[in-house]
Amino acid sequence: MTTQTETIDSVLTESRVFDPPSPEAVGAPRWLIEDEATYKRMHAESIENPEAFYGSAAKELHWFRPFDKVVEFESPDAVWFKGGTTNLCYNCVDRHVAEGRGNAIGLVWEGEPTDADGAPEVVSYTYSELQAATSRFANALKARGVKPGDVVTIYMGMVPELAIACLACARLGAVHSVIFGGFASHSIVDRVKDADSSIVVTCDGAWRRGKVVPLKANVDEACAALDGAVKTIICLKRCGNEVAWEDGRDVWWHDAVENEPASCACAELDSESTAFILYTSGSTGKPKGIKHTVGGYMVHTYLTSKYVFNLIPGLDEPTRQLPNGRPLSGQVYWCTADVGWITGHSYIVYGVMANGVPTLMYEGAPDCPDCDRFWDIVERHKVTQFYTAPTAIRAFMKWGRAHCEKHDLSSLQVLGSVGEPINPEAWMWYREVIGRGVCPIVDTWWQTETGGHMLTTMPGAHKTKPGSCGVPFFGVDAAICDEDGTEIEGGGGLLCVRRPWPSMLRGIWGDRDRFIETYWQKFDVNGTVSAGKPSPYYFAGDGAQRDADGYFWIMGRVDDVINVSGHRMGTAEVESSLVAHPAVVEAAVVGIPHEIKGTGIAAFCILEPGSKPADAEAAKALKQALRAHVGEQIGAIAKPDLLRFTDALPKTRSGKIMRRLLRDIAAGNEIAGDTTTLEDRTVIDKLLADES
Ligand code: WTA
């Protein structure tokens, strides 16, 4: 069935609906939001009276000075919790100590390498230990001249010191800029330059799939290109690999903290002072430094973590032992993202730690030493909340369910998905194989720019539908507009947010114009934009539709939405259909210029190993079968005009398919624009060389 609107046609229909389970069914202590009526009441209050709703939510956290006003907004500038002073590190660490939970575990870390018996290294920190560690490192930063407002660049592997470095910056009021450890040295150059940062925190190396990624060497290379702009490098010894050293500039982490006192007061920061910047790619090659502030970011990530993952801290009696022998009670939350992405900032570090539930960090790859590593971790640590990305889920599907079935996953209470639309096939697999057919899946839609969850379900409150990210979180006023900013009730359009939310971005570092152009000029609401003023609506850059129950279905970035013969279609929908075919493991769909249709559809497919065609004849037959399959699932309009088989897709290191590169390849154009965020350049070279 095809629903047609003026803007985007959604052509995928998914009718499966699952009721929320009882807490007993998944072993949860209780659901914080017990039913849909409670959600609706709280959501209505949060929209009608944000002052009251967010005012009282914010008071669950510590403020040195109480705020005078909850929110002020003059597009595009929001001020949240005006006049209040607080500190993220205080709320994530010291508050728990002050409330008598200093001996509770706050952070658990597992290294990638395993010993001869197959046992990995496990390290855990209590809140008291975190208080000491963040204080020592904050003092070490201070001793090297770091002041509130200075930008500290952090380029590390997934070690506990990464979280500690972020929290130490937060303690001082320094602004961190974390660069994902998988990026190469030129990404460091761009970001250090843009942020005007003179100090870099790094590691000698990072473990990844049994190999050492030479982080310090990458920083050295970047510094060479930065002409002395970096004055200090603090280097954590992790892998013991050989590193070059520049005396006077370089200092080992252990030496830097050795004589520092284990106490350091948390700076009393204005709610609107900058907490961090995080670079993300936009439609141009130059990454944008997305700026977040202390108070609003803290409150929104705290509140979303609490309700979306159902975090319940402080169950007092130890119920089990960690693999390293320390006692642990209650929940263990695990997000598999890297702290180098917004998901790691918000839902490994700040939001989760502010709730006082232990957060688990894993250093390495999911297939090291074997494809069951994640499930081994879930079993050994008795993980209760598990948050990952659809691209990972599809990899697990490909590796086969036997890896999961080897392990006891019965500790899991809530499953989460983030980063891209999840295709219903992967959703169902996640629920059945990982979630024992009972765990609720929260599919959370949000962005680096939004800081925290925007659209999601809550585990005890909402029915779930495979492929839908659910409904607006508290305080989020989401709508779907057409190109002119007119709201659309049914059908697809452009996702926008009609009023400010606490963790909204406060700007692009050093680029006010780009901030306004990118996010605040799309919708000419009440003629604001025509009058030369920013729109009151935030433009998310995603296409979406809302169904009769008010559930949102993300159709991908609007630049990934294609218009075929005047029908717009979400590329994610065609991809979802392709991967639903047994021969296809992963697919990427882009638009290509087409003489008659305007835009045609090009699909790049990774095939199941057993389905790879033996010769050209077989390849042709399979392509025909796939076209027929998509035609059957969606309609003739969605049949790919061009189908290519490939062994890999060009992806960013966070796993996002770089569609603009595929568009160039499909259209036979030169590869234009930046390719520095590409994980593996050879993927592109192979696609260019091979016409299959
Ligand atoms: C996409 C990641 C569908 C979306 C947190 C958004 C999603 C972009 C979902 C932001 C989801 C993220 N369903 N699409 N649950 N979550 N996206 O900044 O296109 O890395 O605009 O933030 O990812 O990516 P970012």
Side-chain angles (χ1 to χ4, degrees), residues 151 175-178 195 274-279 289-291 345 509:
V151 178
V175 174
H176 59 69
S177 165
V178 182
T274 305
F276 63 85
I277 49 179
L278 180 61
Y279 286 87
I290 302 297
K291 183 172 113 171
H345 281 57
W509 191 257

Side-chain angles (χ1 to χ4, degrees), residues 8-25:
I8 299 177
D9 295 343
S10 175
V11 283
L12 188 76
T13 49
E14 170 59 56
S15 53
R16 286 170 285 203
V17 181
F18 298 93
D19 284 329
S22 66
E24 298 78 40

Side-chain angles (χ1 to χ4, degrees), residues 344-485:
H345 281 57
S346 303
Y347 299 110
I348 293 177
V349 184
Y350 294 115
V352 179
M353 295 186 79
N355 274 279
V357 164
T359 186
L360 177 79
M361 272 175 90
Y362 167 57
E363 180 177 38
D367 53 353
C368 187
D370 210 343
C371 296
D372 67 337
R373 182 63 185 266
F374 275 16
W375 318 120
D376 188 35
I377 293 176
V378 169
E379 180 174 14
R380 278 184 295 104
H381 293 269
K382 298 199 174 57
V383 170
T384 44
Q385 282 86 356
F386 178 75
Y387 192 30
T388 197
T391 182
I393 297 166
R394 287 193 294 268
F396 303 138
M397 290 171 75
K398 185 170 133 195
W399 295 338
R401 63 166 69 204
H403 293 293
C404 319
E405 286 168 350
K406 269 200 280 194
H407 295 280
D408 176 6
L409 306 181
S410 62
S411 58
L412 291 169
Q413 298 170 5
V414 177
L415 303 177
S417 174
V418 60
E420 53 177 315
I422 180 167
N423 49 302
E425 294 302 310
W427 196 102
M428 289 302 298
W429 187 93
Y430 197 24
R431 179 182 157 91
E432 293 304 324
V433 180
I434 307 304
R436 318 186 293 284
V438 288
C439 289
I441 296 177
V442 291
D443 176 4
T444 59
W445 176 87
W446 58 295
Q447 308 175 296
T448 304
E449 292 87 341
T450 70
H453 300 153
M454 300 296 278
L455 302 172
T456 180
T457 51
M458 292 181 209
H462 291 111
K463 292 177 192 294
T464 49
K465 307 182 184 191
S468 164
C469 60
V471 295
F473 186 75
F474 303 135
V476 175
D477 183 15
I480 296 174
C481 289
D482 66 14
E483 289 281 340
D484 306 324

Side-chain angles (χ1 to χ4, degrees), residues 514-581:
R514 190 173 180 197
F515 171 54
I516 294 173
E517 265 160 41
T518 311
Y519 306 107
W520 305 97
Q521 278 187 336
K522 183 74 188 172
F523 304 113
D524 193 11
V525 179
N526 301 329
T528 39
V529 176
S530 328
K533 288 208 289 229
S535 165
Y537 290 6
Y538 168 82
F539 170 62
D542 277 7
Q545 70 166 337
R546 189 166 35 188
D547 67 20
D549 297 329
Y551 277 52
F552 286 76
W553 299 73
I554 303 293
M555 302 161 77
R557 301 290 305 182
V558 276
D559 27 10
D560 300 335
V561 171
I562 47 184
N563 190 329
V564 183
S565 304
H567 296 270
R568 289 199 183 184
M569 233 178 300
T571 49
E573 299 179 303
V574 184
E575 289 164 4
S576 181
S577 164
L578 282 165
V579 294
H581 188 282

